[in-house]
Amino acid sequence: MDLCWSCVILAAIGVYLLTQLIRFIFADADLTLLWAAKVGSTPESKLQGKVVWITGASSGIGEELAYQLAALGARLVLSARRENELERVKRSCLERSSLKDKDILVLPLDLMDRTSHQEKTATALKHFGDIDVLINNGGRTQRSLCMDTGVDVYQALMELNFLGTLSVTKQVLPHMTRRGSGIIATVSSVVGFVGAPLATGYSASKHAVQGFFNCLRTELTDYPHITISTICPGPVISSIVQNAFTEELGKPVTSSGDQTHKMSTERCAHLILVGLANHVKEMWIAQQPFLLFCYLWQYTPTLAWYITNILGRKRVQNFKAGLDADSAYFSKPKVKTT
């Protein structure tokens, strides 16, 4: 009888582990975030009526976050450099929701003009009275090899992605500490904690972002209702590649390649909002094999380095062939023709 029960228990454990393995194969986010999506609070229940300031709101993930937050009934501050694009996003938000014109503030913002950030924050607070959530989404990526890239490109990446984000955060944070609550969420990247070729400057800026907010979180332990959340997406369909820095300032990307193999912007934005509603401190949002890669870097770095070298070589080959760097990992790229 005891042997039979032992067999049953072992079989149950085996089925459970197999089930979890299958779930992980098809997962597109870390297990904590997926658990929150399944049993946690919904974005509707936590973000409706909140004032959310989104930087980088004129395209990509920021634009999609604006649409989904508007549909939830959140009030919005939309920021980016291109005011005409922000107005377009605002019109779309109004069309997709029951929000009124006064519920969405278009606030043009240049992250590299740090002297303007105090005034911009004051404008947002004057309009709404509060800032419940700050989503630091503004920034640019990179597509160039280190040996070909000028130091001024690295300086621009750090100024924009790191110091610009830090500056806006420092303006908003005192308001949140005074009221004792709030969420500061920052879109970092998978390369904020792993290494990848063609993104030495971008990765460095995102490593800086990760380090800053991890330390800031520990400084705010006396404010348990202030959440510091870092968001680490893998490849996502957006215009980020088209706008990437290259080896020279002002030089555009030759070709962004096919983007269809990447996660949809809608899915990424939804998972971000789930994470914010459940106060998840760090989110990994990526399809396989990139999600597996995150776990390998976290728990088996030696193996991760071995795989990094293999995939990294392929990434450079894709780049030189004129493909998207993250496409065709397991097939031979066609040589770029002129």
Side-chain angles (χ1 to χ4, degrees), residues 196-198 307-318 329:
L198 305 174
I307 297 174
T308 298
N309 290 337
I310 295 174
L311 297 184
R313 186 179 297 111
K314 184 67 173 179
R315 199 169 198 258
V316 173
Q317 290 174 354
N318 289 341
Y329 274 110

Side-chain angles (χ1 to χ4, degrees), residues 46-47 50-53 69 131-136 169 172-173 175-177 179-186 213 216 220 223-231 272-281 283:
K46 295 295 183 179
L47 298 174
K50 299 295 185 183
V51 177
V52 183
W53 186 2
L69 283 163
I131 298 172
D132 299 297
V133 181
L134 169 64
I135 301 180
N136 290 309
T169 298
V172 173
L173 184 58
H175 166 70
M176 291 186 175
T177 56
R179 59 182 286 199
S181 64
I183 298 174
I184 297 177
T186 302
F213 283 104
L216 178 60
L220 296 175
Y223 301 92
H225 299 296
I226 295 179
T227 298
I228 303 296
S229 181
T230 49
I231 302 156
I272 290 172
L273 296 184
V274 168
L276 299 186
N278 290 278
H279 301 279
V280 177
K281 293 180 176 63
M283 311 176 207

Side-chain angles (χ1 to χ4, degrees), residues 157-169:
L157 280 160
M158 294 300 293
E159 290 274 353
L160 177 62
N161 293 351
F162 175 53
L163 292 176
T165 295
L166 180 156
S167 177
V168 173
T169 298

Side-chain angles (χ1 to χ4, degrees), residues 82-328:
R82 299 174 296 172
E83 186 172 3
N84 60 325
E85 288 299 301
L86 292 175
E87 292 289 354
R88 175 186 61 79
V89 174
K90 177 178 178 176
R91 289 193 296 271
S92 294
C93 286
L94 293 174
E95 292 170 0
R96 300 171 185 223
S97 70
S98 59
L99 295 178
K100 306 300 182 184
D101 185 79
K102 63 181 177 61
D103 295 324
I104 303 178
L105 172 65
V106 168
L107 186 65
L109 174 75
D110 185 348
L111 285 175
M112 298 181 76
D113 182 12
R114 297 195 294 275
T115 59
S116 70
H117 295 172
Q118 182 176 5
E119 177 188 353
K120 298 293 185 178
T121 304
T123 300
L125 287 170
K126 182 179 180 180
H127 187 88
F128 285 116
D130 282 318
I131 298 172
D132 299 297
V133 181
L134 169 64
I135 301 180
N136 290 309
N137 175 68
R140 290 174 66 184
T141 189
Q142 176 192 6
R143 286 294 186 273
S144 62
L145 293 166
C146 174
M147 292 180 63
D148 301 330
T149 305
V151 174
D152 52 352
V153 173
Y154 289 99
Q155 180 177 353
L157 280 160
M158 294 300 293
E159 290 274 353
L160 177 62
N161 293 351
F162 175 53
L163 292 176
T165 295
L166 180 156
S167 177
V168 173
T169 298
K170 279 182 62 65
Q171 294 299 327
V172 173
L173 184 58
H175 166 70
M176 291 186 175
T177 56
R178 282 193 296 270
R179 59 182 286 199
S181 64
I183 298 174
I184 297 177
T186 302
V187 179
S188 178
S189 170
V190 165
V191 298
F193 61 92
V194 308
L198 305 174
T200 48
Y202 177 70
S203 181
S205 69
K206 294 302 186 179
H207 272 74
V209 164
Q210 295 275 121
F212 172 78
F213 283 104
N214 284 342
C215 293
L216 178 60
R217 190 182 294 115
T218 67
E219 292 184 7
L220 296 175
T221 53
D222 289 337
Y223 301 92
H225 299 296
I226 295 179
T227 298
I228 303 296
S229 181
T230 49
I231 302 156
C232 303
V236 175
I237 296 173
S238 74
S239 59
I240 191 169
V241 177
Q242 292 94 310
N243 298 325
F245 282 103
T246 60
E247 62 270 19
E248 298 176 14
L249 286 178
K251 182 179 179 181
V253 173
T254 305
S255 173
S256 60
D258 181 25
Q259 304 286 306
T260 56
H261 59 281
K262 300 182 178 182
M263 176 184 284
S264 72
T265 316
E266 294 81 4
R267 175 61 176 170
C268 179
H270 172 71
L271 288 170
I272 290 172
L273 296 184
V274 168
L276 299 186
N278 290 278
H279 301 279
V280 177
K281 293 180 176 63
E282 183 169 303
M283 311 176 207
W284 302 347
I285 302 174
Q287 295 173 326
Q288 301 292 9
F290 305 102
L291 182 63
L292 174 61
F293 198 48
C294 294
Y295 277 95
L296 292 177
W297 266 90
Q298 187 79 1
Y299 298 111
T300 58
T302 301
L303 176 59
W305 270 118
Y306 175 76
I307 297 174
T308 298
N309 290 337
I310 295 174
L311 297 184
R313 186 179 297 111
K314 184 67 173 179
R315 199 169 198 258
V316 173
Q317 290 174 354
N318 289 341
F319 173 71
K320 291 181 176 180
L323 302 173
D324 180 79
D326 295 310
S327 68

